[in-house]
C-alpha cells in the first residue's frame, strides 16, 4: 500500500515540527518554510495533502501556496491554518478551493480529523476517476471475469446477423447487452427497437410485431407498420420472449426462417431485414417441457447464447456501477463522493433486483442527500444503517449547519470558486451563500 505524501508550509519552524510529528502517522511529511520553497517541493513530485500557514513573509502567503497547488495538482486537498482567523481569509481560501480552514493555536484532534478526511477524499477522487475511465470505455459497466466473458462473446457475435438469446435474472442489464451488440455491429447506424413482450397483451402482440391493415380489427382506424418493419436495417430486441403466446411464436418462427412478415389483415408478405436479439429471465427449456414454448423457435433464437450473471456473482463490478449511477443522477452537475464504508456495504449486499435495484437505491440516496458525500446512513436497511446511527451517536454526527457549510464549500470548489454560479446551483443569493459558508464557525462561537 502506498504511503501518503504530505507537505507542511509554515515560516515558524516549531509549528512545522509540531505538524510533522502530528501528521507523521498519516504519511511521509515534508516541510517548506515559505511559498517559494513550497513551489520547489511541488515541482519535485505530487503530494496527497498540503497544510499551509496563511500569513508568511513576502514573497507570497498561504493563498499563493493554495493557488499553486490547485494550478498543478487540482485533486490535492489544501488545509489553510492561520493565527489570524477572519471570515475574509476563510472565504478567500474556500473560494480558491481550500479543503478546510483551521485556526491557531492547533487543536490536535481537529487537525488529525480534518487531515484524515482530506486524505480520504483524495483517495476517493482518484478511485472514482479510475472507475469512470472504465465506465466511459463501454456501455457495459464492470470488469469482473464473468462480465469480461460477456464482452468477449458480444465482440465475437456483433459482426454476424444470427439471432442471439440473452438470459439472466430480472434487472441484470440484458437490454444493455443487446444495445452493446447493436452498437458494435455493422447495423449500428440502423434503428435499435426494444419491445417488452411481457407488457403487451396477447391480443395486441401480433399487431405490435407485424403491423396491421386498416379495418383489420375493431379500432384499427388506419394501417400501421409493426416493429419488425421499423427495425429494418437494424436490431429488434424482444425482451421477455418467454411470455409470448403460442400463436405469435409460430409467426416469429416464420419470420426467422423466411425473413418476411404478414401484417394482420393482409395476405401479401413483406420482406424484413432486422436482426433479432431476444432475452428472458425464464428457463426456456423448462417452458418447452411444459408445452408452452416451441422447441423449434428456441433453437432458432438460441444460435448465440449470452448469459448475464447476477450482481451477487460479480461484486467487484459494484463500485464501478455505483460511480456510474452516482454521476448519472448527480444534482447540479456536482459529482458526489461515496465513502469507503458505504461502498463496502453496497458491495456486500446481495442485490436481488440486480443492477436495476442498485441504480434505484443510488438515485434515491442522492435525491435525499444534501452534502455531496454518500455514507452508510444514506442507504436503507439492510444495506445501510440510517436508523441505528440516529440513536446514541449524535456526538459523532455533524450538525445541520456544518453539513450545509460543507455542501456549499463542495459546490463552490466544483465550479472553480465562481460564487455566482455556486449560488445559482444552490438556489440562494450570494449573501445566503456567505452565511452558509460561515455557518459552522458561527455555531462554534455560540
Amino acid at each position: 500500500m502506498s504511503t501518503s505524501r504530505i507537505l507542511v508550509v509554515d515560516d515558524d519552524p516549531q509549528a512545522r515540527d509540531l505538524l510533522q510529528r502530528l501528521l507523521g502517522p498519516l504519511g511521509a511529511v515534508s516541510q517548506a518554510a515559505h511559498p517559494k520553497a513550497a513551489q520547489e517541493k511541488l515541482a519535485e513530485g505530487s503530494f496527497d495533502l498540503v497544510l499551509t500557514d496563511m500569513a508568511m513573509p513576502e514573497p507570497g502567503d498561504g493563498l499563493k501556496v493554495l493557488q499553486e497547488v490547485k494550478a498543478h495538482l487540482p485533486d490535492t486537498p489544501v488545509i489553510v491554518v492561520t493565527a489570524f482567523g477572519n471570515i475574509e481569509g476563510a472565504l478567500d481560501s474556500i473560494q480558491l478551493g481550500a479543503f478546510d480552514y483551521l485556526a491557531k493555536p492547533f487543536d490536535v484532534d481537529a487537525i488529525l480529523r480534518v487531515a484524515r478526511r482530506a486524505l480520504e477524499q483524495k483517495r476517493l477522487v482518484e478511485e472514482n476517476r479510475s472507475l469512470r475511465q472504465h465506465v466511459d470505455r463501454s456501455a457495459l459497466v464492470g470488469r469482473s471475469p464473468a462480465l469480461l466473458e460477456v464482452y468477449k462473446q458480444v465482440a465475437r457475435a456483433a459482426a454476424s446477423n444470427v439471432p442471439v438469446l440473452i438470459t439472466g435474472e430480472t434487472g441484470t442489464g440484458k437490454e444493455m447487452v443487446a444495445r452493446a451488440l447493436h452498437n458494435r455491429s455493422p447495423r449500428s447506424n440502423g434503428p435499435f427497437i426494444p419491445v417488452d413482450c411481457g407488457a403487451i397483451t396477447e391480443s395486441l402482440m401480433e399487431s405490435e410485431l407485424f403491423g396491421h391493415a386498416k379495418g383489420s380489427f375493431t379500432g384499427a382506424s388506419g394501417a400501421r407498420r409493426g416493429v419488425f418493419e421499423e427495425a429494418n436495417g437494424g436490431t429488434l430486441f424482444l425482451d421477455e420472449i418467454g411470455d409470448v403466446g403460442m400463436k405469435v411464436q409460430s409467426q416469429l418462427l416464420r419470420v426467422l426462417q423466411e425473413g418476411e412478415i404478414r401484417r394482420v389483415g393482409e395476405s401479401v408478405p413483406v420482406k424484413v431485414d432486422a436482426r433479432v436479439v431476444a432475452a428472458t429471465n425464464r428457463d426456456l427449456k423448462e417452458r418447452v417441457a411444459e408445452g408452452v414454448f416451441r422447441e423449434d423457435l428456441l433453437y432458432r433464437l438460441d444460435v448465440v447464447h449470452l448469459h448475464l450473471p447476477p450482481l451477487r456473482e460479480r461484486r467487484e463490478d459494484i463500485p464501478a456501477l455505483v460511480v456510474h449511477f452516482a454521476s448519472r443522477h448527480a444534482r447540479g452537475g456536482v459529482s458526489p463522493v461515496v465513502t469507503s464504508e458505504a461502498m463496502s456495504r453496497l458491495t456486500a449486499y446481495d442485490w436481488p433486483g440486480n443492477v436495476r435495484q442498485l441504480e434505484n437505491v443510488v438515485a434515491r440516496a442522492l435525491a435525499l442527500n444534501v452534502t455531496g458525500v454518500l455514507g452508510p446512513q444514506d442507504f436503507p436497511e439492510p444495506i445501510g444503517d440510517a436508523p441505528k446511527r440516529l440513536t446514541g451517536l449524535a456526538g459523532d454526527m455533524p450538525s445541520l449547519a456544518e453539513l450545509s457549510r460543507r455542501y456549499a464549500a463542495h459546490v463552490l470548489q466544483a465550479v472553480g470558486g465562481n460564487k455566482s454560479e455556486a449560488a445559482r446551483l444552490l438556489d440562494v443569493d450570494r449573501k445566503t451563500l456567505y452565511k452558509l459558508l460561515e455557518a459552522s464557525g458561527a455555531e462554534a462561537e455560540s
Side-chain angles (χ1 to χ4, degrees), residues 5-7 9 38-51 64-79 96-99 118 121-122 125-126 129 413:
R5 295 192 64 205
I6 302 170
L7 177 62
V9 188
Q39 185 177 7
E40 293 171 355
K41 291 280 186 182
L42 291 167
E44 293 172 3
S46 63
F47 286 87
D48 299 295
L49 174 63
V50 175
L51 278 86
K64 182 175 178 60
V65 174
L66 174 59
Q67 290 173 313
E68 186 72 21
V69 174
K70 289 304 166 186
H72 300 288
L73 300 170
D75 292 335
T76 296
V78 178
I79 299 171
L96 290 171
F99 179 82
Q121 174 176 291
K122 175 69 159 47
V125 166
E126 291 177 346
R129 177 182 292 107
Q413 181 176 351

Side-chain angles (χ1 to χ4, degrees), residues 139-155:
L140 299 172
V141 179
R143 286 295 181 272
S144 63
L147 202 60
L148 285 174
E149 185 58 36
V150 174
Y151 291 153
K152 292 176 186 176
Q153 292 176 297
V154 166

Side-chain angles (χ1 to χ4, degrees), residues 356-370:
R356 187 180 301 137
Q357 181 190 9
L358 175 61
E359 179 173 11
N360 290 339
V361 166
V362 172
R364 174 188 178 275
L366 286 170
L368 300 177
N369 179 282
V370 297

